[in-house]
Amino acid sequence: MGGVNRTRTTSGGPAGANLGVVRSHNTALVLGLLRAAGAEGISRLELAERTGLTPQAVSKITARLRESGLAAEAGRRASTGGKPRTVLRLVPEAGHAVGVHLDRDELRVVLVDLDGTVVGERRGELDLGAGAEAVLGAVGDVAEGLVTAVLGRAGGESSAGAGGAPSAGAGGESSARVGGEPPAGAGAGAGAGGEVGARGLPRIPSLLGVGVALPGPLDHARGVLHRVTGFPEWDGFPLRDALAERLGVPVVVDKDTNAAALGLSVAGAEGGAGGSFAYLHLGTGLGAGLVLGGGVHRGARTGAGEFGHQVLQLDGPRCECGNRGCVEVLCLAAVAAGETAEAARVLGVAAGNLVGLLDIDVVLLGGRTVAGAPEAYARGVGEVLDARARREGTAGGPVPVRVAERGERVVAEGAAQLLLAPLFGRADG
């Protein structure tokens, strides 16, 4: 592992690790177990037993992780025989990822550490139809401001402590606004004192990159947008490559619902260990993220989860997708009319179709609209699924319905996991 750098410590805390050390499947397995063990840590012997690797292989891997700053000793544990075992833990502040939620009218950006803990957050207004230059400029402006506030510039002065906690105000709302012109300073360099290019984020050793989640449909593999519902002008735009060039760091792009489902699965929601769940996101639009067999299901053409455009009423109102009577247009019309119970009923009917098709374990609800009346939506959807289960005599009873944890940040946090999950052996990240 020539060229691996040890973590450098500054007055503001660790400057980060050389994350290039995480480049093999076995290393990712070990790192995943370290994260799962938490602050209590895990011994090398336990790592060998759980991964099936030899103790010698585990020792080499953990030595590299310690040298790179990704792992550290967490004390000693009594042994059943012989000397006490040294236990190791993950160093959360050794790596960070930016998660961006591009909604139709709002931008939310979070910075998370390797544990997935949010250490900073900013929000701003957004017009997704304002054009690529304006939208990219807003993402760059808000992300740069957040990263600089929490981590400092070029791994030097940092406002984060050794534990990765943000400085006062780092999690506040930004004043970024996207209209016909990019916000002032969008795309500008970081200025004196930071090692950056003409554009882009400060080059901080612990920064992995940026995950971006937004309404689909889109091509997750290539990071190219298709005809985003209501915004056909984005069709064919290479968002991943355009943002990577502007920000100067790796970028991953996925649908908002897929990102949320990944984040919930990583955080331990149902489906994380071979189970399945559907995450239904009701905000400015309606979509689904599917976790089947413990992994995010995107489909052969990365188009799975277009839940909002299943037709419920053949002669219903025209949807922006071009069809009539889609669940999205029916549900949003009820929301606009203030008819929460009707919106929940429509959502429940569509959820029942999904449950009947996939036989999933649980339905999780989220999104800005659900957050406004979580109990009403959980109750309304649950009642529809209960009635369906009684009619069909479903074994085991109705599928449970719950409001997803993590609130309105669920998509942004999941976007950050698009970068973090592969480090810990998640192939669906």
Side-chain angles (χ1 to χ4, degrees):
M1 289 301 298
V4 172
N5 298 322
R6 294 178 182 274
T7 300
R8 294 176 289 124
T9 302
T10 69
S11 58
N18 179 357
L19 290 160
V21 69
V22 188
R23 63 184 190 184
S24 75
H25 175 68
N26 290 342
T27 301
L29 290 178
V30 170
L31 202 57
L33 289 172
L34 287 171
R35 181 172 68 170
E40 293 183 3
I42 185 172
S43 71
R44 292 176 179 83
L45 180 59
E46 290 172 302
L47 288 170
E49 291 173 346
R50 297 187 189 183
T51 60
L53 299 172
T54 65
Q56 293 81 3
V58 168
S59 292
K60 290 180 180 179
I61 291 171
T62 54
R64 290 197 297 266
L65 291 175
R66 290 185 62 191
E67 184 181 6
S68 70
L70 289 165
E73 288 190 5
R76 294 181 179 275
R77 184 179 301 160
S79 174
T80 55
K83 62 181 182 179
R85 300 174 185 171
T86 299
V87 293
L88 303 172
R89 65 172 179 86
L90 179 72
V91 179
E93 62 269 26
H96 297 88
V98 175
V100 176
H101 180 191
L102 280 178
D103 208 343
R104 293 171 173 85
D105 60 359
E106 182 182 79
L107 169 67
R108 186 186 296 265
V109 181
V110 299
L111 183 70
V112 307
D113 63 18
L114 291 179
D115 261 341
T117 301
V118 175
V119 297
E121 176 183 9
R122 290 192 175 182
R123 294 170 59 190
E125 294 180 8
L126 181 76
D127 177 5
L128 195 58
E133 185 60 29
V135 172
L136 296 181
V139 173
D141 190 51
V142 176
E144 181 186 342
L146 177 59
V147 170
T148 301
V150 179
L151 300 180
R153 298 185 183 278
E157 296 181 3
S158 170
S159 56
S167 63
E173 294 188 8
S174 80
S175 59
R177 179 183 178 88
V178 186
E181 297 294 333
E195 183 191 349
V196 297
R199 293 174 170 180
L201 300 180
R203 291 185 184 144
I204 295 172
S206 72
L207 187 60
L208 282 161
V210 176
V212 181
L214 72 161
L218 55 82
D219 184 336
H220 156 77
R222 297 191 300 131
V224 175
L225 305 187
H226 295 323
R227 295 179 65 85
V228 177
T229 305
F231 300 90
E233 64 272 19
W234 283 101
D235 189 19
F237 185 78
L239 180 62
R240 181 191 65 190
D241 294 346
L243 265 179
E245 181 179 359
R246 179 176 290 263
L247 300 178
V249 295
V251 173
V252 180
V253 173
D254 206 345
K255 287 199 301 189
D256 46 10
T257 49
N258 287 342
L262 175 65
L264 289 168
S265 181
V266 168
E270 291 86 351
S276 61
F277 68 81
Y279 167 74
L280 307 184
H281 185 91
L282 179 59
T284 57
L286 175 61
L290 304 174
V291 171
L292 305 178
V296 176
H297 177 72
R298 295 183 175 89
R301 289 166 294 279
T302 72
E306 288 300 312
F307 171 82
H309 300 293
Q310 57 176 301
V311 175
L312 296 186
Q313 185 179 341
L314 291 176
D315 59 349
R318 178 79 65 179
C319 180
E320 288 186 339
C321 74
N323 291 326
R324 287 188 177 275
C326 290
V327 57
E328 178 174 295
V329 70
L330 296 173
C331 195
L332 292 181
V335 170
E339 300 173 352
T340 301
E342 174 62 10
R345 187 187 71 83
V346 173
L347 184 59
V349 171
N353 292 341
L354 187 63
V355 169
L357 182 67
L358 298 178
D359 193 22
I360 54 178
D361 298 323
V362 64
V363 171
L364 300 177
L365 306 178
R368 190 190 314 172
T369 302
V370 169
E375 294 181 0
Y377 278 100
R379 181 176 60 254
V381 173
E383 288 173 353
V384 175
L385 294 185
D386 287 353
R388 178 169 179 152
R390 287 195 299 271
R391 289 195 308 269
E392 298 176 351
T394 305
V399 170
V401 178
R402 290 192 277 275
V403 175
E405 296 181 357
R406 318 190 94 72
E408 293 186 52
R409 292 197 313 212
V410 64
V411 173
E413 290 187 42
Q417 288 296 336
L418 295 171
L419 286 150
L420 294 180
L423 290 178
F424 300 98
R426 287 287 302 242
D428 57 337

